Amino acid sequence: MLKNCFTIFSTPEIFDFLVFPDPVSKPLDNGQVCIRYINWFFFYKVMLKDFTPRLYQETILATCNEKNTLVVLPTGMGKTAVSMLLAIQRLKNYPKSKILILAPTRPLAEQHLNTFKRYLDVDESKFVLFTGMVAPDKREELWKDAKFIFSTPQGMENDIISRKINLEEVSLIVFDEAHRATGEYAYSFIAKQYNKIAKYPRILALTASPGSDVEKIEEVCKNLHIEDVEIRTDIDPDVKPYVQEVEITWVEVELPEEFLEIKGFLEASFRSKLQEVKRKGFIKSATIQNMGKKDILGLQAALHSELSRGNKDYEMMKSVSLLAEAMKVQHALELLETQGISSLYKYLEKLQTESETTKVKAVKNLVKDLNFKSAFIKTRKLYENDIEHPKLAKLKEIIEKEIKDKSKIIIFNQYRDSALKIKSEISKIKNIKAEIFVGQMKKGETGLSQKNQKEMLDRFINEEFNVLISTSIGEEGLDIPEVDLVMFYEPIPSAIRHIQRRGRTGRQKKGKVIILLAKKTRDEGYRWSAYHKERRMHTTLNKLKGKLGLKFEKQQPTLTKYIKGDGVKIFADIREKASGTIKELLEIGADLDLKTLKVGDYVLSHRVAVEIKTVEDFVNSIIDGRLLQQIKELKINFERPLIIIEGTRDIYSVRKIFPTAIQGMLATIAISYGIPILQTKNYKETASLLHTIAKREQDETTREFSLHGDKKPLTLKEQQEYIISSLPNIGPTLSKPLLKKLGSVKKVINATEEQLKKIDLIGPKKAKKIKEVVDSKYDQ
């Protein structure tokens, strides 16, 4: 038997490197044992280094190797290790293939890259990192020689659309934080394209918490073509030996009397807004007491939908404004109950300042509300007296007690303003060095680039500071070992986020979680919401696991799977890459080429270019003057330009603009410029129309065409009219009488304001504007 193994390996010396695993549980014939040890050899000796898989990882791997699998593992339990083991197996089966690992952010993608480099004995040149900082042409070049590609999904989506990379070569795609694969997120598009064209497709989806909503979980499974689910919790027998104990403590505080007074004023303001909406007949429920954010947003959406259909009912518009006021009061209540006076005061003061300059009626009316004014005055007094939420004092007390030599603490907090206050207060404690970890959006001095984020985490790991105060950016995928304590400044209603926060501790040793809660506030509701959602998540996943075989049965490959496109070539402006139209064109087989187009959004042939506008953008571009310039450029460069207006919204209800202005522009486009205007309902209809036009235009002799329109050169007369039409408020209609009266382009340019005024339809305003453009010094 062993000689057979040696024969396969070519040389018996290889046997010296083989250390057999535990004896098999039942007798196997020579061939089976040989295959078993050969497989084991490839896994544990040839590519892996300094890493021994855990039992549950190997068990999960068996499923992943056979089916597209969603793996749900607690944070810190080695989801990346499963992807690493599966990657080795796929490369063993398909040596010429590539492995693609996707993660939502650059730091996460880089984290996976470093893990693979650390544990795989592979030439470093075979690992590449794709992010937005790597130019598309460079990514295309790197792809050719790479074996392991680590990327953010947005960049990879662009590369797929522009066909810079070939998914056919990929034998495994890993989707980290797979719960994001809903709606229009790039994961869904990438999985669909991969499943359609890959020769040997295999998908591995990883998450610690896919959520509790049945429809969302099913959507994730459908979008990622999942065929099986592997779920492990802390109490599963094959996981339990590796799980460190995590002690969870809820610490309750009570709001002081001053807070309750402010709360009373805000609640009265909130109720008054909803009662007025109810009197107008738009709230049907018997009580408004239990209406929350979700209910208000739903009602707002319904009313906006009615208004967009052209229903200009005053009571309806007033109710929309009242609901906006109610939402602002609701946010103020949340800040008071869960955060503190500093955050609340800054928010109320911001509204007060905005009311002096804004045209938004909801803000103007809210600051006039008596209850709102009273809440603001009370809040200002507490702020001036440095009175804060009792959570802050409790937080300081806990940190003073828990901080030890070389211990690390993470404090999670929802709001940046609160994070700043927390840092200010706890930095007064002896031996505390704290930093704030936030996302890229700049606000004051709290924004961090992804590079800064990584640098800060490295400093935290290297013990340059010992308390990390993090907003939601730190909940997902942080690789910070040995965190001794995680604190929640507030409970959160999301099961996903609760699990992710909790998972920052108890990885390598016993951990502790402390959650602060304000009694008789929304904190209590959020606590139980997250608890029940987490329980529901595990129940849902187990039920779904049994249904997957029937519900998402794998499709057998067909000849159409390998068709790359129908040869219809379409140039698309690179700024359109995020649109549904681009993805739909790719789906129906168009050969797309993304370029920076000088004219139009799409070029379909040597004579057809298309400018696409949503209903809203069409109206906005009339107001800001873009549209007229765009149609001039279309007309001068292409023989058969086209305008497509996409959407079903009533064009006259978008902005406060006279219907005659819209009708005038439609007439100018269609009559003065001779450009057809077509309307589509949505991006799918737009894509279908573009593809149909391109196919008609591109017969066998014209399939290859230049990106630039090869319209016949303009006649001298047309060139003269074009130059004069570009003057302010002139256009093609008025250019002709100007030239006819004055005789030449030179004479029009040199004409005095008085001469211009005398020409029909010009008048003093147009004349003044023309001379301003012609005579003003060019300012570089």
Side-chain angles (χ1 to χ4, degrees):
M1 174 197 76
L2 294 178
K3 286 181 180 178
N4 291 338
C5 289
F6 299 152
T7 302
I8 293 171
F9 284 119
S10 300
T11 171
E13 281 77 18
I14 200 77
F15 183 77
D16 294 336
F17 297 96
L18 249 129
V19 180
F20 291 123
D22 296 334
V24 293
S25 57
K26 61 181 181 179
L28 301 172
D29 63 41
N30 289 355
Q32 288 174 309
V33 173
C34 180
I35 290 169
R36 176 178 178 137
Y37 288 145
I38 290 170
N39 284 340
W40 184 88
F41 175 85
F42 269 101
F43 266 86
Y44 299 167
K45 287 293 178 182
V46 175
M47 291 186 79
L48 281 176
K49 60 182 181 181
D50 304 325
F51 179 82
T52 303
R54 295 170 175 177
L55 175 61
Y56 65 87
Q57 290 169 339
E58 294 183 285
T59 308
I60 291 170
L61 177 64
T63 303
C64 298
N65 196 37
E66 296 297 323
K67 299 176 180 178
N68 293 344
T69 306
L70 172 65
V71 175
V72 183
L73 266 177
T75 301
M77 287 291 102
K79 293 184 290 294
T80 306
V82 176
S83 67
M84 201 163 57
L85 295 172
L86 183 58
I88 296 172
Q89 179 65 53
R90 298 299 287 177
L91 286 176
K92 185 166 77 73
N93 292 343
Y94 311 104
K96 294 182 179 180
S97 68
K98 299 178 186 293
I99 306 298
L100 176 57
I101 296 93
L102 297 172
T105 63
R106 193 181 86 192
L108 266 178
E110 194 170 351
Q111 183 176 300
H112 291 313
L113 169 67
N114 293 333
T115 301
F116 271 62
K117 280 185 176 180
R118 179 180 175 185
Y119 293 117
L120 293 189
D121 192 7
V122 175
D123 185 343
E124 286 208 5
S125 66
K126 299 300 179 183
F127 297 98
V128 296
L129 178 65
F130 285 7
T131 67
M133 298 179 72
V134 182
D137 290 340
K138 182 66 174 175
R139 291 201 297 266
E140 184 178 15
E141 183 184 327
L142 290 170
W143 176 272
K144 293 173 184 176
D145 296 321
K147 273 291 180 188
F148 297 88
I149 301 96
F150 301 81
S151 178
T152 50
Q154 294 80 10
M156 185 54 56
E157 181 181 53
N158 296 338
D159 290 338
I160 293 168
I161 289 170
S162 57
R163 301 188 189 279
K164 290 187 179 296
I165 59 102
N166 183 11
L167 287 179
E168 187 179 29
E169 306 169 294
V170 176
S171 63
L172 170 67
I173 290 189
V174 178
F175 293 94
D176 190 29
E177 307 295 351
H179 53 271
R180 290 178 175 240
T182 58
E184 295 299 314
Y185 193 68
Y187 276 0
S188 306
F189 172 77
I190 294 170
K192 187 173 185 180
Q193 295 303 312
Y194 174 65
N195 203 54
K196 186 165 68 169
I197 67 173
K199 284 183 179 177
Y200 316 107
R202 177 66 70 240
I203 289 173
L204 174 62
L206 304 173
T207 183
S209 44
S212 59
D213 187 282
V214 178
E215 290 182 0
K216 283 273 180 74
I217 295 173
E218 288 186 347
E219 184 184 359
V220 168
C221 289
K222 183 179 179 182
N223 288 345
L224 298 183
H225 305 273
I226 297 301
E227 300 159 329
D228 208 341
V229 176
E230 281 285 356
I231 314 158
R232 296 293 189 279
T233 65
D234 297 347
I235 60 173
D236 284 317
D238 56 349
V239 174
K240 200 169 183 180
Y242 304 99
V243 175
Q244 301 295 331
E245 181 185 348
V246 176
E247 177 189 340
I248 300 177
T249 305
W250 291 82
V251 176
E252 297 179 339
V253 299
E254 292 193 9
L255 295 183
E257 189 62 37
E258 302 95 323
F259 278 51
L260 297 178
E261 285 182 32
I262 296 170
K263 185 181 177 184
F265 286 123
L266 290 174
E267 285 176 338
S269 177
F270 179 72
R271 285 194 302 271
S272 70
K273 310 302 174 190
L274 296 186
Q275 282 167 350
E276 194 170 343
V277 176
K278 188 175 181 179
R279 281 196 297 272
K280 295 179 186 301
F282 297 109
I283 295 179
K284 305 300 180 185
S285 58
T287 176
I288 58 173
Q289 192 66 37
N290 297 321
M291 283 191 73
K293 285 183 182 179
K294 190 174 180 180
D295 304 306
I296 296 170
L297 288 171
L299 181 54
Q300 268 187 320
L303 294 180
H304 274 301
S305 179
E306 280 297 314
L307 290 170
S308 71
R309 295 191 186 102
N311 186 350
K312 295 297 185 183
D313 180 73
Y314 172 77
E315 298 296 332
M316 189 180 293
M317 289 189 284
K318 177 64 177 174
S319 293
V320 168
S321 183
L322 286 165
L323 291 171
E325 290 182 57
M327 282 297 294
K328 294 180 189 305
V329 178
Q330 188 65 234
H331 181 63
L333 275 165
E334 182 171 359
L335 292 176
L336 174 70
E337 292 181 354
T338 70
Q339 302 302 307
I341 294 300
S342 292
S343 297
L344 175 62
Y345 176 70
K346 287 178 182 178
Y347 177 64
L348 298 183
E349 186 181 43
K350 176 172 164 282
L351 291 177
Q352 194 74 37
T353 304
E354 280 181 6
S355 70
E356 296 169 6
T357 56
T358 187
K359 294 180 180 179
V360 179
K361 290 183 179 178
V363 176
K364 286 184 171 294
N365 292 335
L366 180 59
V367 298
K368 295 175 185 175
D369 181 277
L370 184 59
N371 285 307
F372 180 88
K373 283 182 177 179
S374 301
F376 181 51
I377 291 167
K378 291 275 184 183
T379 301
R380 184 167 55 201
K381 285 181 180 178
L382 294 184
Y383 178 77
E384 288 169 351
N385 291 323
D386 205 22
I387 304 297
E388 272 303 337
H389 201 292
K391 282 183 183 179
L392 195 57
K394 184 60 70 175
L395 178 77
K396 289 172 66 178
E397 178 188 320
I398 292 168
I399 289 176
E400 285 178 333
K401 180 181 175 184
E402 295 290 337
I403 196 69
K404 299 178 181 65
D405 186 40
K406 293 190 176 181
S407 60
K408 292 191 183 79
I409 298 173
I410 297 180
I411 302 169
F412 282 109
N413 178 263
Q414 292 260 61
Y415 298 99
R416 296 188 186 194
D417 286 340
S418 296
L420 287 166
K421 185 66 178 177
I422 290 169
K423 180 185 177 183
S424 171
E425 290 299 313
I426 67 172
S427 293
K428 298 172 184 176
I429 302 172
K430 186 180 178 182
N431 298 325
I432 290 294
K433 292 181 180 178
E435 294 288 355
I436 299 175
F437 187 68
V438 294
Q440 295 185 78
M441 187 186 298
K442 296 293 185 283
K443 186 176 181 182
E445 297 180 355
T446 59
L448 291 175
S449 67
Q450 290 188 338
K451 181 181 177 182
N452 295 146
Q453 290 169 15
K454 185 179 183 306
E455 288 171 353
M456 182 172 286
L457 291 183
D458 288 341
R459 289 175 53 222
F460 187 51
I461 291 168
N462 294 329
E463 300 178 2
E464 293 181 31
F465 62 95
N466 52 5
V467 179
L468 186 74
I469 305 163
S470 178
T471 55
S472 59
I473 188 71
E475 294 170 353
E476 194 172 71
L478 279 183
D479 185 21
I480 308 173
E482 304 299 330
V483 173
D484 304 280
L485 171 64
V486 169
M487 293 195 69
F488 293 23
Y489 195 72
E490 68 285 294
I492 42 176
S494 164
I496 293 176
R497 295 178 61 198
H498 185 90
I499 291 167
Q500 287 173 331
R501 282 186 176 190
R502 197 177 65 209
R504 300 304 113 201
T505 189
R507 293 184 166 200
Q508 309 296 328
K509 62 182 182 180
K510 182 178 177 180
K512 184 181 287 189
V513 175
I514 296 176
I515 307 171
L516 300 177
L517 178 147
K519 294 170 69 175
K520 297 180 182 178
T521 68
R522 69 195 63 215
D523 276 357
E524 292 184 337
Y526 289 171
R527 172 185 183 175
W528 294 112
S529 175
Y531 172 77
H532 289 301
K533 283 177 181 177
E534 187 174 347
R535 289 190 64 184
R536 195 159 64 242
M537 178 184 77
H538 292 299
T539 303
T540 301
L541 284 167
N542 283 311
K543 286 181 180 177
L544 185 62
K545 181 177 170 66
K547 295 179 181 178
L548 274 172
L550 296 174
K551 197 156 191 174
F552 303 121
E553 188 174 345
K554 188 173 182 179
Q555 298 295 315
Q556 292 299 316
T558 63
L559 287 175
T560 57
K561 174 184 173 75
Y562 302 106
I563 294 175
K564 299 297 185 294
D566 58 8
V568 174
K569 187 173 184 178
I570 295 177
F571 286 102
D573 190 275
I574 197 165
R575 288 160 291 195
E576 293 289 304
K577 64 188 178 184
S579 73
T581 304
I582 287 274
K583 295 174 186 176
E584 187 65 20
L585 281 169
L586 199 66
E587 184 66 23
I588 59 183
D591 182 7
L592 283 174
D593 195 349
L594 296 184
K595 300 286 185 183
T596 301
L597 300 184
K598 292 182 179 179
V599 178
D601 296 318
Y602 296 88
V603 176
L604 309 182
S605 71
H606 67 279
R607 62 180 194 156
V608 177
V610 183
E611 181 73 33
I612 296 177
K613 300 283 187 189
T614 62
V615 173
E616 293 83 354
D617 189 38
F618 183 82
V619 175
N620 290 335
S621 63
I622 294 174
I623 295 170
D624 62 27
R626 283 181 292 127
L627 186 55
L628 197 57
Q629 186 58 37
Q630 286 168 337
I631 62 176
K632 285 178 184 178
E633 293 293 336
L634 280 171
K635 188 66 177 176
I636 195 72
N637 285 283
F638 289 89
E639 187 181 341
R640 292 282 190 271
L642 173 66
I643 300 287
I644 293 178
I645 301 176
E646 183 180 292
T648 57
R649 189 173 176 185
D650 177 16
I651 200 168
Y652 298 110
S653 67
V654 175
R655 294 279 298 269
K656 291 180 179 178
I657 179 173
F658 287 113
T660 51
I662 296 173
Q663 291 162 1
M665 180 55 73
L666 291 171
T668 298
I669 296 169
I671 306 303
S672 301
Y673 285 93
I675 299 177
I677 304 168
L678 300 178
Q679 184 162 17
T680 58
K681 292 179 182 177
N682 50 46
Y683 70 86
K684 290 196 172 188
E685 199 172 290
T686 301
S688 179
L689 179 60
L690 291 174
H691 187 262
T692 300
I693 295 170
K695 197 169 185 178
R696 288 173 62 91
E697 283 288 298
Q698 299 171 31
D699 58 31
E700 292 303 319
T701 59
T702 61
R703 186 60 51 94
E704 292 299 324
F705 63 94
S706 166
L707 177 59
H708 308 288
D710 42 334
K711 180 181 174 181
K712 293 177 181 178
L714 294 176
T715 64
L716 177 61
K717 179 174 177 287
E718 288 172 331
Q719 290 181 62
Q720 290 170 324
E721 288 173 356
Y722 179 72
I723 291 169
I724 299 304
S725 72
S726 67
L727 292 172
N729 304 315
I730 298 303
T733 304
L734 295 181
S735 65
K736 292 173 185 177
L738 270 170
L739 285 164
K740 190 174 180 180
K741 183 72 175 177
L742 296 173
S744 69
V745 171
K746 183 178 180 180
K747 287 182 178 179
V748 172
I749 298 299
N750 291 335
T752 65
E753 193 172 324
E754 290 301 318
Q755 286 176 304
L756 291 171
K757 282 183 194 177
K758 294 175 182 177
I759 298 170
D760 290 344
L761 302 176
I762 297 300
K765 287 185 179 178
K766 287 189 180 75
K768 185 177 180 181
K769 196 70 178 172
I770 290 170
K771 293 312 295 177
E772 183 183 340
V773 170
V774 170
D775 295 340
S776 296
K777 183 180 177 182
Y778 176 60
D779 185 6
Q780 296 187 17

